[in-house]
Amino acid sequence: MNDRALFATKIGVIASTVGSAVGLGNLWRFPYVVGTNGGGAFLLTYLFCILLLGLPLMMSEFMVGRKGRCNASVAFSSLSSDKRWNVIGYLGIAASIIILGYYMVVSGWVVDYLYQSIGNDFVGKTGEEIKGDFVDFQSNPFKPLMWVAAFLVANYIILVRGVTKGIEKASNILMPLLFIILIVFSVYALTMPGAKKGLEFIFKPDFSMITGKVFLAALGQAFFSLSIGIGILITFGSYFKNNSNLLATSFTVAMLDIVVALLAGVIIFPVIFSFGDAPTQGPELIFVTIPSLMQHMGFPHFWSILFFTLVAVAALTSTISLCEVAISFINEKFSLNRKQATRILLSLVAILATLSSLSFSTLSEFKMFDMTFFSFSDYISANILLPLGGLLLSIFIGWRVDKNLLLHEFSLNSKLPKGLFKGIIFVIKYLAPILISLIFLSQLGIFN
Ligand code: TRP
């Protein structure tokens, strides 16, 4: 374990973590949950969750990996002899498999849109027509599944060939490019007639909208977007140098992640209000608005191919990170090789993805707690399993790891005052467990 290569540069660490963090969570999920949870009030709660809870937990995952020099499935047992803490690892694996199940479906939609962009299929269509086409596509049982299968195969090839490093290198160029394109799109979106209304919708909080439900959605989205709660950041941390600055690294990643999500919001809501659409439409939001926006820009063919290629790559770097935790677990626990482990994982994911994809057609009447299989997978993983992982992680770090060791690990190589790091430890030990528990309890209707 000790001979694992360490990241040579700071940029290498940040780029890989950003590759995992920036994905459909920012571009697809963020606008859709902002839209369904009331706009500005949600955004404020989301930023609060990222800065107050997300950052300390991100540092904690990094710290566990850097200290233990191993991945999530071994990390907990190496830090504590009490086997029960392994439950955090198991929860993470369950969460990653469930997330993969519907993430692959949305990635499949992205690949279909890339295909349509190449064929220039959106050209000259009105917003209504684009929306109609999307609904037709979704309610066809076979076509979306074909794209899911294609995306699964791409993941398989990358994971088995061990070319994840190559993909990460490519994304070092492609992610900054995505960033630039988002800036171009947002400048364009801001010139549209609905810009003012759109900006008001996401930036003007109506405090009366902040309820337990909104808080839980914001917490779930914060963890989802930063990739916290399944232990993948433990694996990344295990490649850090001993003296890497955890706060600076976590802060940089979180800022880049927030900026990408905000840009997505600044693009989508002005467009929505310009076309007089509802921000609450849910998972199809970006698939309807982005092509409509591009029809109003010059060179729509060029922009749409470029945009959907980059979104597909962003999705790919995230699914690879989601697969990694489960693969190394299957690999180590059942002493199977990487190829076998990848096959087992992706077969499981294929089953879940089929059920999720069919939730929009054949299985649309099949409900679990009033949700389709797709929505249920999204809800249970992001809003329950990830926060639960975060809750247990904060208890584990806050109460099992020696406080002086924590202080030393967190503040290493930082010139910031020790008081700040004591504050972070206070958050992990007390505030995070209490706040996350309260948010959970509020969902059970205890405070109503
Ligand atoms: N953060 C990614 C996104 O925003 C999704 C993701 C990748 C993830 N790895 C994760 C979410 C681990 C939770 C845990 O799209």
Side-chain angles (χ1 to χ4, degrees), residues 19-26 96 99 103 221 223-232 257 314 317-319 321-322 386:
S20 161
V22 173
L24 298 178
N26 311 62
S96 64
I99 293 175
Y103 207 100
Q221 175 60 22
F223 286 13
F224 188 92
S225 195
L226 295 178
S227 309
I228 297 172
I230 69 164
I232 185 60
D257 192 68
T317 53
S318 297
T319 48
S321 119
L322 279 160
L386 296 182

Side-chain angles (χ1 to χ4, degrees), residues 26-80:
N26 311 62
L27 303 167
W28 160 74
R29 201 174 188 279
F30 175 77
Y32 120 59
V33 288
V34 172
T36 49
N37 285 285
F42 175 88
L43 178 66
L44 203 66
T45 323
Y46 169 71
L47 293 177
F48 172 87
C49 288
I50 287 208
L51 294 175
L52 199 69
L53 305 175
L55 268 182
L57 283 168
M58 195 173 194
M59 291 172 70
S60 304
E61 279 203 34
F62 283 152
M63 197 265 314
V64 172
R66 187 176 68 179
K67 196 80 204 139
R69 290 268 170 252
C70 56
N71 61 38
S73 61
V74 210
F76 294 103
S77 37
S78 78
L79 272 177
S80 159

Side-chain angles (χ1 to χ4, degrees), residues 68-308:
R69 290 268 170 252
C70 56
N71 61 38
S73 61
V74 210
F76 294 103
S77 37
S78 78
L79 272 177
S80 159
S81 56
D82 189 341
K83 287 264 173 296
R84 281 176 299 182
W85 290 107
N86 284 341
V87 71
I88 308 181
Y90 292 118
L91 257 178
I93 289 157
S96 64
I97 297 176
I98 299 173
I99 293 175
L100 279 165
Y102 71 93
Y103 207 100
M104 291 288 177
V105 173
V106 183
S107 306
W109 298 346
V110 173
V111 184
D112 176 77
Y113 266 51
L114 173 58
Y115 180 77
Q116 290 196 55
S117 304
I118 295 172
N120 211 2
D121 287 357
F122 299 118
V123 76
K125 286 196 174 142
T126 63
E128 279 307 306
E129 284 168 327
I130 291 172
K131 195 184 213 156
D133 285 352
F134 186 68
V135 174
D136 285 346
F137 164 71
Q138 262 188 332
S139 52
N140 177 329
F142 301 109
K143 211 169 157 199
L145 275 179
M146 215 175 71
W147 294 118
V148 172
F151 204 76
L152 274 168
V153 171
N155 271 271
Y156 178 76
I157 294 172
I158 292 166
L159 287 162
V160 166
R161 292 251 174 105
V163 289
T164 46
K165 284 276 161 301
I167 295 295
E168 274 159 16
K169 280 228 176 73
S171 81
N172 285 353
I173 303 165
L174 297 177
M175 288 304 106
L177 192 58
L178 173 66
F179 196 75
I180 295 171
I181 292 201
L182 290 174
I183 292 178
V184 173
F185 282 16
S186 56
V187 169
Y188 199 89
L190 289 176
T191 62
M192 296 187 73
K196 188 160 171 275
K197 262 191 170 165
L199 291 183
E200 268 175 16
F201 179 76
I202 50 169
F203 291 118
K204 210 167 154 192
D206 167 3
F207 290 96
S208 67
M209 299 281 286
I210 303 182
T211 59
K213 177 181 154 276
V214 167
F215 227 112
L216 182 66
L219 184 71
Q221 175 60 22
F223 286 13
F224 188 92
S225 195
L226 295 178
S227 309
I228 297 172
I230 69 164
I232 185 60
L233 301 180
I234 297 180
T235 308
F236 285 131
S238 73
Y239 295 105
F240 286 10
K241 287 189 182 150
N242 279 332
N243 62 356
S244 50
N245 184 335
L246 294 185
L247 179 62
T249 308
S250 308
F251 192 75
T252 313
V253 173
M255 282 307 131
L256 289 171
D257 192 68
I258 290 177
V259 171
V260 174
L262 284 180
L263 281 173
V266 167
I267 297 168
I268 295 205
F269 293 103
V271 178
I272 287 278
F273 285 98
S274 301
F275 291 136
D277 263 342
T280 48
Q281 42 193 289
E284 68 247 42
L285 193 59
I286 74 153
F287 292 93
V288 177
T289 42
I290 297 274
S292 311
L293 166 71
M294 287 186 294
Q295 294 321 308
H296 288 258
M297 296 170 62
F299 314 108
H301 196 188
F302 166 78
W303 289 120
S304 60
I305 294 178
L306 195 57
F307 179 74
F308 286 109

